[in-house]
Amino acid sequence: MDIDVLIVGGSFAGLSAAMQLVRGRRKVVVLDTNQPRNRFARASHGVFGLDGKSPAEIRATALSQLALYPGFQLVEDAAVGVEKLRGGFEVAAESDAVYRAKKLILASGITDQLPDLPGVKAFWGKSVIHCPYCHGYELSDRPLGVFATSELSFHQAAMIPDWGATTLFTQGQFNPEGEVLGHLIDRGVVLEETPITNLLGAKGQLQAVLLADGREIPLEGLYVSPKAMLASPLIRMLDLALEDSLVGSIVKVDAFKESSVNGVFVAGDLSNPMQSGTFAIASGTMAGVAAHRSLIFNK
């Protein structure tokens, strides 16, 4: 096998893994469709040294640096099949190309399952967001809301007042009680039980929400907690063990990002219960180092 490590996914996690491996003088191929989860955001915030740069700009910079290493190759293609072989893996691409590698890193990210709410896609990643550390500062001191999708939204609503006046929209389904309710009240969170039926605004900027009783409430930022969908078919084909997290199912890995299948490492949002660009970069670094060590010590 002439490829040491095949990486599926070329965003923050996958390219971070690739950097460790090519610097270890290994031959690496990255399969990527350039459809990262963060493509809807204008900028990536909170990433050390890269704050405010667009996801596309960060990716382009990383690729320009990786291209200087002779062991690196980027292929714009989708991985659609995988088979475990003696001593490695065979991955089939959508273009009918076949790649054989000693180790495999999955870093293709997840798909966000957004609430079934009219208008949400038009604002997603701009003024409808999920992470205050990633995008909250830019919405500071504006009227903010949290769209309840589970009891996890109570925790989210308790955080957001640090950025602005916050309303928790329970949708009439998720109603806090007891100490949780008391904490939200102490934090100044306003509860609204009437469901949101539409989002109002223009050019990605939310301006108000329309409620089922006809009221319009001014709002310039709405937080939601989408469910994570594991879109890669390779996870099922490899029968990787999964585990539950607050965002949904993720791939179960050990401290070195190795999955339940020896030689398969999983980085980024596929295996991270806490998800951000910084966490993706860190987990990709770990997966790259661990895959390199696996080539040396566990042939």
Side-chain angles (χ1 to χ4, degrees), residues 84-95:
K84 192 170 185 349
L85 306 176
R86 184 176 180 179
F89 302 87
E90 182 177 270
V91 175
E94 193 172 50
S95 64

Side-chain angles (χ1 to χ4, degrees), residues 44-58:
S44 291
H45 290 287
V47 182
F48 184 73
L50 299 170
D51 186 59
K53 294 185 179 296
S54 72
E57 183 181 2
I58 294 172

Side-chain angles (χ1 to χ4, degrees), residues 123 198-201 205-210 216-220:
F123 302 102
N198 207 344
L199 305 183
L200 309 175
Q205 178 53 59
L206 183 67
Q207 296 174 349
V209 293
L210 177 66
E216 289 187 14
I217 295 183
L219 211 65
E220 296 185 39

Side-chain angles (χ1 to χ4, degrees), residues 183-292:
H183 186 229
L184 289 171
I185 292 172
D186 289 343
R187 291 283 289 156
V189 176
V190 175
L191 271 65
E192 176 58 66
E193 295 183 2
T194 304
I196 297 174
T197 59
N198 207 344
L199 305 183
L200 309 175
K203 297 182 179 180
Q205 178 53 59
L206 183 67
Q207 296 174 349
V209 293
L210 177 66
L211 303 186
D213 59 10
R215 285 181 293 144
E216 289 187 14
I217 295 183
L219 211 65
E220 296 185 39
L222 182 65
Y223 288 85
V224 302
S225 296
K227 286 293 184 181
M229 303 294 291
L230 304 180
S232 173
L234 275 59
I235 296 170
R236 174 183 51 81
M237 293 174 181
L238 291 165
D239 195 25
L240 301 184
L242 304 179
E243 63 180 347
D244 292 331
S245 77
L246 293 175
V247 297
S249 294
I250 57 174
V251 179
K252 186 176 183 179
V253 294
D254 63 16
F256 297 96
K257 308 304 287 186
E258 190 165 19
S259 72
S260 57
V261 174
N262 185 262
V264 178
F265 301 82
V266 185
D269 293 347
L270 280 181
S271 64
N272 288 353
M274 296 184 67
Q275 299 171 349
S276 72
T278 300
F279 286 128
I281 292 168
S283 70
T285 299
M286 176 58 77
V289 170
H292 185 225

